Amino acid sequence: MAADPLTAAIDAGTPLVVLSPHLDDAVLSCGALMAHAAGRTPVRVVTFFTEAGAPPYTLSGRHYLRLAGHPDAECLYAERRAEDEEVLRRLGVDWVHLGLTDGLFRRKPAASGRHREWLRRALPEPSHVYPTYRLHLATGRISPYDAGTLERARAVLETLASVPRTVLLAPSGVGRHVDHVLVRTAAELSRHRVVFYSDFPYNQLHPLEPRFVARNGLAGVEWSRGLAAKAALVRGYRTQADALFPGGRIPEVPEIYLLAGGASWLS
């Protein structure tokens, strides 16, 4: 079937490292593949943006907290980390939380002075790297203030890929969330063995970026094994599932993986 290159790599014991922007993305996009791979080959999920900032929050930040049913972002993210550990432990895979701040809460370097502190509390948007979700965080444009974040992500990838034969699974940035694009960009720049995954459920509404696909010479393959059991894993992210799937139904759709050059380098 179309996913044979991945199946062959897993059966050959190729170590997999799934790069997850947030505390659910790996399972949302790769849960069925990871369930198959666990026990056959080493699998590790590395999640980048696992922390929130302290108040005051932007309007977009407060809206997100209302959807999640939590008034305090730091408490919410503590619960999200616990959810992630529980789900990944159930899957039987390893995990690492890197502790970078979620894009919705990332701030620019603080300016000193009482007046600036008062202004930051009264109007938090100008002090944030991405002041709004729709006009900034969901555009796919990495802010100049995030150059350091990108460099930290690249440094992490250099360490991860030092294990011989390791294959990185990285987001393709469908939906254009900057955090996803940051991790994708770090993977592209790493020049290591990378398979890109199509970001679910955002790929149900948004297409892949043609320029990204073309510059990496990517072709898609489908993974359809174990999809029926995936919904239970996704529901393990209790703080997120209702907002992501308002009707309660999680679509049972194949996972999509994007491989370069016929993927002969996987084996």
Side-chain angles (χ1 to χ4, degrees):
M1 66 183 209
D4 277 349
L6 286 171
T7 304
I10 291 167
D11 291 346
T14 303
L16 302 179
V17 175
V18 184
L19 307 178
S20 186
H22 302 115
L23 292 155
D24 58 7
D25 288 316
V27 169
L28 282 166
S29 299
C30 308
L33 176 70
M34 289 195 297
H36 175 81
R40 291 178 169 86
T41 190
V43 182
R44 171 176 289 188
V45 174
V46 176
T47 307
F48 286 74
F49 303 102
T50 61
E51 301 283 344
Y57 310 125
T58 63
L59 184 63
S60 291
R62 295 196 300 273
H63 176 68
Y64 166 68
L65 293 174
R66 283 196 299 272
L67 288 176
H70 275 259
D72 183 275
E74 291 176 314
C75 290
L76 170 61
Y77 275 68
E79 186 171 342
R80 290 192 65 184
R81 290 190 296 273
E83 289 173 348
D84 191 48
E85 291 179 12
E86 179 184 334
V87 172
L88 297 180
R89 187 179 294 112
R90 196 189 322 165
L91 260 177
V93 304
D94 194 11
W95 69 87
V96 176
H97 293 161
L98 292 179
L100 300 181
T101 301
D102 190 296
L104 202 55
F105 303 99
R106 277 201 297 281
R107 288 192 171 92
K108 302 172 185 175
S112 60
R114 286 185 180 179
H115 174 72
R116 291 186 181 275
E117 178 63 21
W118 175 86
L119 184 61
R120 185 181 71 84
R121 293 188 175 278
L123 186 65
E125 275 74 8
S127 67
H128 281 70
V129 176
Y130 302 100
T132 71
Y133 181 83
R134 186 173 64 86
L135 298 178
H136 299 92
L137 196 60
T139 64
R141 293 191 293 270
I142 299 173
S143 166
Y145 289 102
D146 250 347
T149 306
L150 179 58
E151 286 307 308
R152 290 181 69 182
R154 291 184 66 181
V156 168
L157 264 61
E158 290 303 315
T159 301
L160 293 173
S162 64
V163 179
R165 298 178 61 243
T166 297
V167 171
L168 307 179
L169 273 64
S172 57
V174 175
R176 299 186 62 77
H177 191 297
V178 166
D179 286 350
H180 289 235
V181 175
L182 275 164
V183 177
R184 181 190 81 185
T185 302
E188 285 188 274
L189 294 173
S190 72
R191 298 184 180 179
H192 289 294
R193 293 152 40 112
V194 180
V195 172
F196 293 94
Y197 58 80
S198 181
D199 315 56
F200 177 79
Y202 316 104
N203 57 10
Q204 302 303 290
L205 296 173
H206 304 283
L208 283 162
E209 290 181 46
R211 287 183 295 180
F212 160 70
V213 174
R215 71 173 174 261
N216 290 285
L218 300 175
V221 297
E222 293 187 351
W223 182 275
S224 299
R225 301 186 188 190
L227 292 175
K230 180 176 172 178
L233 295 171
V234 173
R235 289 193 182 95
Y237 295 95
R238 296 173 292 275
T239 63
Q240 307 302 302
D242 288 344
L244 287 170
F245 307 100
R249 178 182 172 274
I250 300 171
E252 190 175 308
V253 296
E255 296 172 352
I256 306 297
Y257 296 92
L258 304 159
L259 300 84
S264 58
W265 48 269
L266 278 174
S267 56

